[in-house]
Amino acid sequence: MKDFGMLHVYTGTGKGKTSAALGLALRAAGHGAKVTMLCFMKGDPTYGEAQAFRFVPNFIIKQMGRESFVNFRNPDPIDVKMAQEAWEEGKRILLQKETDVLILDEINLAMAKSLIDTSEVVSFLHDHRGKTEVVCTGREAPQELIDEADLVTDMQEVKHYFTLKNIPIRDGIDH
């Protein structure tokens, strides 16, 4: 698509990083762009985005993580393997120019927790994103990625009903 090729980073402790990326995806698809979203750590098929985007033309979502949470203090080797496979798929998609927008959901945290190599990711994105708009989401975006990015949004939690009212995750809003 015309004028695509920027690198976005959505990071921070606040809610809304993936939601912002999904909003961008919806907008791009509305203009006829092909969108691919690789989920590095969200393998649960009941996530709302995994279900909803079956109905959005030109949108592909690939959940490449396990359904369970990753223990970042002591990651299971399968989590490392799956994160590395997700990154390999992202590289393949960029090299083959398969999509107009590539969302790498939770890649920031995968890099921050050393599941994948930050320097390799940043170098590859610098050299190969071409005319593909790339969106990286997740907490703890590495500074190298922030420095490389064209747009960085740092979402900070000010108030959250999880902590204020002990309200659990709600389908359709948080999941």
Side-chain angles (χ1 to χ4, degrees):
M1 304 254 346
K2 183 180 176 184
D3 298 327
F4 280 26
M6 299 291 175
L7 175 59
H8 303 235
V9 174
Y10 303 151
T11 193
T13 59
K15 179 178 170 8
K17 297 171 287 291
T18 297
S19 298
L22 290 167
L24 183 146
L26 186 61
R27 179 176 285 158
H31 282 278
K34 184 174 181 185
V35 180
T36 304
M37 181 174 181
L38 300 180
C39 301
F40 278 69
M41 295 186 212
K42 295 177 182 168
D44 185 345
T46 65
Y47 270 96
E49 57 266 31
Q51 296 180 52
F53 277 99
R54 292 179 288 164
F55 306 105
V56 177
N58 298 316
F59 186 91
I60 297 167
I61 187 167
K62 296 181 179 182
Q63 294 180 289
M64 304 193 71
R66 290 193 298 161
E67 288 187 33
S68 59
F69 287 100
V70 176
N71 176 354
F72 293 118
R73 290 195 176 114
N74 186 23
D76 190 294
I78 191 68
D79 293 315
V80 175
K81 180 178 185 280
M82 292 176 96
Q84 291 172 352
E85 287 172 353
W87 173 234
E88 289 301 316
E89 179 67 0
K91 291 192 307 188
R92 185 193 67 73
I93 288 167
L94 285 172
L95 288 172
Q96 294 184 4
K97 299 174 176 56
E98 288 184 8
T99 196
D100 299 306
V101 177
L102 177 61
I103 299 169
L104 302 170
D105 189 44
E106 300 294 350
I107 193 171
N108 299 346
L109 201 51
M111 288 185 283
K113 301 304 181 183
S114 300
L115 300 179
I116 56 176
D117 183 76
T118 299
S119 294
E120 181 200 340
V121 171
V122 173
S123 177
F124 188 90
L125 292 176
H126 175 81
D127 293 341
H128 298 288
R129 70 179 183 261
K131 294 193 182 299
T132 302
E133 201 83 0
V134 177
V135 180
C136 299
T137 74
R139 293 172 182 246
E140 300 180 35
Q143 189 62 48
E144 289 174 72
L145 182 68
I146 290 170
D147 293 344
E148 178 64 24
D150 299 294
L151 180 150
V152 177
T153 299
D154 187 356
M155 297 180 181
Q156 296 301 312
E157 182 177 319
V158 175
K159 183 191 286 191
H160 202 301
Y161 46 82
F162 287 171
T163 53
L164 285 176
K165 300 178 182 178
N166 203 24
I167 293 174
I169 292 173
R170 299 172 299 149
D171 288 345
I173 302 297
D174 307 305
H175 178 268

